Amino acid sequence: MSTMRRLAVILSMDVEGFTSLVEKDEAAALRSVEHAYRDLILPSIGDFGGEVFKTTGDGLLAEFASPVSAVKWTARFQRVLAADDFALGPKLRVRAGLVMGDIVVAGNDRFGDGVNVATRVQALSPPGGMAISRGVFEYLAGKTDLYFTDIGERALKGLSGAQRIWIWDPKIVGVTRPHAVATPDPATHPSIVVLPFDNLGGDPERDVFIEGMVEEITASLSRVREFLVIARHSAYAFRGSTQDVREIAEELGVRYLLEGSVRFAGARMRVSLRLVDGESALQIWSDRIEAQVADVFEVQDHIAELVSGALHPTIRQAEVERSRRKPPESLVAYDLVMRALPHLWAHRREENAQAIALVNQALAREPRDGRAAAIGAWAHGQQIAYHWSGDFSAERDAAHDLLDRTAGRIDDDPLALTAAATAMTLVDGDLDRANALIDRAIDIDVNHAWAWTRRGFARVYAGRTDEAFACFERAMRLSPRDPFSFNSMVGMGLAHFSAGRAAEAARWTRRALAEKPGMTWAFRDLSAFLGAAGDEEGAKAAFDVFCSQRQDVTEATVRDALHFMNPALLDAYVAGLATAGLACHSGREEGPSRAAGQGAVPYQSLVGEV
């Protein structure tokens, strides 16, 4: 038999959990597989240039000439299969792996590395989705609206070396764009220029290093969709200039200017940074970073990360204050969203209601504002998670309506992606979809502290506690001055509780409460942790603060509000609250907090020493 070699795209597919399906009902399982092959695969695969060359019971191998066609057909098949209602057999969930590789053609069969790698890559696919290799991914740029998440280098069973893999999961919203995603509007969104840094030592050999560092900072900030960044070559024109910053701001059309200077002392360096308001010339932020000049690229990356993380909350807060100064008649949707953010992160019932009202105003002005919709959905999720509403069903309906509005409108906006991911977690407990959006937010802006915080919570809820600590620590390191950083402390507390360290969990929660006076929902966490640690009196006092402003706090409502936690964590949490008398607090009337002076243990004594 003659053979030949060629480069091709190989698709490997199989049914997840097929053995279990066969054990339950072999005949029904085989009917489902036959139906999928005969009615869903064979009639369509040829239209995309595909050809099945081997079947393996519950799987198949196919060849395509085009990686784009292979990916499009696979996504189409997975969506059709998910919607298929085959009454004569069980629902199937299929994993798919696609690689581009060298194959040997022998008659109707195929052999070689491409086939072997495809079967290994398939094992990394999410059920109902696909995993692809670098060779396939590199062909997709601009040719598909599917969103693929980079999961990094992976060792493949039986093969030497590692392969970089991307996955597509259909449980993602907002990947189909009805219109091109626009860059932020300079008339409303903030803009910044990173001016050339001064070399205070005067050594010309250091200029290249400094320019590289400024280039890295500019590139890092450019990935942040919350503000526009002026191109490096435009900023370079002001190197060594003594021109007034207000004139530079007007000439470049920016609101903020980042200035810096670098001083060297042997192997050490000190970078001084200043963020200036271009309209008033007032300094609104400054910092000093010291580092060892050992690995040039490492120190440049490190400084870029610190600067990017610090500027996020600084510019965001400056924009909030700017929106507050504007007269009501001149407010646009962007301004109203900026005004809503402090109310969202205040974590108080009455403030959250104001956030929702401001978002509704923003959407009335601009119904297609995806960021406003995502933040509104987050706020409705908080209504449930923190027991601020007596009608969880209505809050879920409102959040779902807002999430539907985000489709195709938040793809390149890390803040909106993080907000939507949080809403999906709090409202539906859908960690798969939430993680996909968080991954996308971090892909766009690796220094987005809020996204790292939400990734940490998602890891705790899923029982992956060790990974959660690293996420919270990175968020706090990136943005120590962020007014929302207390949320990472709350997360650290929950992570310690999940790891079986209830006393340490209580310590972190007290620290968060000290950072956020007036926040009462976290006393539920404190009560659960103290109860688990054996402090019954403290647990009851903390739970009384939580319940004093809430109605119908029962085990059922707590479990409903916290349904996104994995069962073991939720059971331990509820057990801690039972020590505080959870069942005794149902049906309490709404009213002022007893901690404010009606005989309860004072707030500050519960927070204690941190």
Side-chain angles (χ1 to χ4, degrees):
M1 180 183 297
S2 63
T3 62
M4 63 175 291
R5 287 183 176 273
R6 64 172 174 243
L7 190 66
V9 180
I10 301 299
L11 164 67
S12 175
M13 297 194 336
D14 78 349
V15 177
E16 183 203 27
F18 185 67
T19 301
S20 297
L21 294 177
V22 168
E23 288 177 351
K24 291 178 181 178
D25 188 335
E26 181 180 28
L30 293 176
R31 282 195 299 268
S32 287
V33 171
E34 182 182 3
H35 161 67
Y37 183 69
R38 183 188 66 243
D39 300 329
L40 305 182
I41 295 175
L42 290 182
S44 63
I45 194 169
D47 296 339
F48 289 76
E51 178 187 359
V52 177
F53 63 84
K54 181 179 290 186
T55 58
T56 57
D58 68 318
L60 62 79
L61 291 164
E63 175 188 351
F64 290 81
S66 162
V68 177
S69 295
V71 165
K72 287 185 175 180
W73 180 84
T74 303
R76 177 187 182 277
F77 166 74
Q78 293 285 34
R79 286 167 171 159
V80 170
L81 181 64
D84 185 52
D85 188 16
F86 182 60
L88 300 179
K91 193 83 171 176
L92 302 181
R93 302 185 76 199
V94 171
R95 298 175 300 175
L98 294 107
V99 305
M100 178 172 284
D102 185 60
I103 62 170
V104 177
V105 182
N108 294 325
D109 211 345
R110 312 288 190 274
F111 306 94
D113 290 343
V115 177
N116 295 333
V117 175
T119 59
R120 303 299 191 272
V121 170
Q122 168 203 288
L124 300 174
S125 168
M130 74 180 94
I132 64 175
S133 66
R134 180 194 293 272
V136 176
F137 180 78
E138 289 178 345
Y139 272 89
L140 300 182
K143 300 180 179 68
T144 176
D145 59 8
L146 301 178
Y147 178 76
F148 283 85
T149 300
D150 183 356
I151 63 172
E153 299 279 344
R154 295 300 175 97
L156 303 179
K157 184 178 179 181
L159 301 175
S160 60
Q163 294 267 353
R164 191 171 180 183
I165 304 297
W166 285 256
I167 62 171
W168 170 73
D169 191 322
K171 299 187 297 295
I172 299 178
V173 300
V175 295
T176 302
R177 300 176 179 176
H179 60 285
V181 175
T183 57
D185 182 356
T188 56
H189 284 61
S191 50
I192 184 172
V193 62
V194 183
L195 294 174
F197 287 7
D198 294 329
N199 179 0
L200 298 183
D203 183 353
E205 293 185 2
R206 299 288 194 179
D207 287 344
V208 173
F209 173 87
I210 296 173
E211 289 170 11
M213 181 172 61
V214 173
E215 181 72 36
E216 191 60 39
I217 292 172
T218 304
S220 179
L221 294 176
S222 297
R223 292 190 287 270
V224 181
R225 196 180 178 274
E226 291 183 48
F227 40 80
L228 293 163
V229 181
I230 298 300
R232 180 80 187 99
H233 67 272
S234 297
Y236 194 78
F238 294 94
R239 184 185 184 190
S241 172
T242 58
Q243 195 170 347
D244 189 284
V245 292
R246 287 168 291 196
E247 295 176 358
I248 298 175
E250 184 177 359
E251 187 172 335
L252 293 176
V254 297
R255 289 189 195 164
Y256 305 101
L257 304 94
L258 180 66
E259 300 179 314
S261 61
V262 186
R263 188 186 302 276
F264 295 91
R268 294 189 58 78
M269 64 178 294
R270 174 179 294 171
V271 182
S272 298
L273 301 155
R274 299 170 298 281
L275 184 67
V276 179
D277 184 306
E279 183 177 0
S280 65
L282 294 175
Q283 179 175 293
I284 58 177
W285 171 83
S286 66
D287 203 353
R288 187 174 67 187
I289 301 171
E290 297 192 5
Q292 291 281 346
V293 190
D295 186 316
V296 171
F297 298 116
E298 182 178 342
V299 74
Q300 288 177 345
D301 290 346
H302 174 64
I303 291 173
E305 175 187 284
L306 293 176
V307 172
S308 180
L311 291 191
H312 266 93
T314 302
I315 291 180
R316 190 184 301 125
Q317 186 60 40
E319 288 294 291
V320 168
E321 295 302 324
R322 179 180 173 275
S323 71
R324 285 172 174 166
R325 293 194 299 268
K326 295 182 71 173
E329 63 273 11
S330 68
L331 294 175
V332 296
Y334 170 81
D335 299 312
L336 290 163
V337 171
M338 286 296 103
R339 287 189 174 191
L341 286 176
H343 297 296
L344 178 79
W345 68 56
H347 277 218
R348 291 193 291 272
R349 181 177 189 166
E350 64 281 3
E351 298 264 8
N352 202 63
Q354 292 182 57
I356 292 172
L358 287 165
V359 163
N360 289 340
Q361 291 179 46
L363 288 169
R365 285 169 167 77
E366 179 49 71
R368 299 173 65 85
D369 191 321
R371 177 185 286 188
I375 289 170
W378 183 349
H380 281 287
Q382 292 192 154
Q383 292 283 103
I384 300 168
Y386 305 144
H387 268 83
W388 288 333
S389 171
D391 189 346
F392 287 3
S393 178
E395 300 296 345
R396 287 191 169 102
D397 289 344
H400 290 148
D401 177 66
L402 290 168
L403 285 172
D404 287 344
R405 296 200 198 190
T406 67
R409 301 190 180 113
I410 62 172
D411 292 1
D412 298 333
D413 186 342
L415 189 156
L417 289 166
T418 303
T422 306
M424 289 172 186
T425 301
L426 301 182
V427 174
D428 294 323
D430 195 337
L431 295 182
D432 288 338
R433 294 173 70 193
N435 278 321
L437 296 191
I438 292 168
D439 286 348
R440 191 189 315 179
I442 292 174
D443 282 345
I444 297 169
D445 179 11
V446 73
N447 298 319
H448 202 282
W450 286 9
W452 280 105
T453 297
R454 294 316 310 178
R455 175 178 275 185
F457 276 108
R459 296 299 190 266
V460 177
Y461 299 151
R464 296 159 63 180
T465 306
D466 290 344
E467 298 175 35
F469 286 116
C471 295
F472 292 130
E473 287 166 358
R474 176 156 189 169
M476 289 187 288
R477 185 179 74 247
L478 280 171
S479 197
R481 301 179 185 176
D482 195 323
F484 205 48
S485 62
F486 72 92
N487 210 25
S488 289
M489 298 175 192
V490 172
M492 289 289 283
L494 188 61
H496 278 291
F497 181 70
S498 179
R501 296 185 288 271
E504 182 67 6
R507 188 181 74 82
W508 275 99
T509 307
R510 283 182 166 130
R511 181 176 170 186
L513 287 164
E515 287 269 334
K516 204 70 176 175
M519 175 176 66
T520 61
W521 76 260
F523 280 97
R524 183 183 60 197
D525 280 6
L526 182 60
S527 177
F529 303 159
L530 291 174
D535 183 357
E536 183 176 341
E537 182 179 349
K540 288 180 176 179
F543 197 52
D544 194 57
V545 174
F546 174 75
C547 292
S548 61
Q549 295 183 5
R550 293 162 176 84
Q551 294 178 314
D552 298 323
V553 181
T554 66
E555 179 177 341
T557 59
V558 169
R559 286 187 177 275
D560 188 11
L562 304 179
H563 64 289
F564 41 79
M565 292 184 181
N566 70 79
L569 176 58
L570 183 54
D571 286 346
Y573 192 98
V574 170
L577 291 178
T579 302
L582 171 60
C584 299
H585 283 79
S586 60
R588 293 189 65 163
E589 294 298 321
E590 194 76 18
S593 171
R594 286 179 58 201
Q598 296 182 27
V601 177
Y603 183 106
Q604 189 56 46
S605 68
L606 281 170
V607 173
E609 294 296 324
V610 296

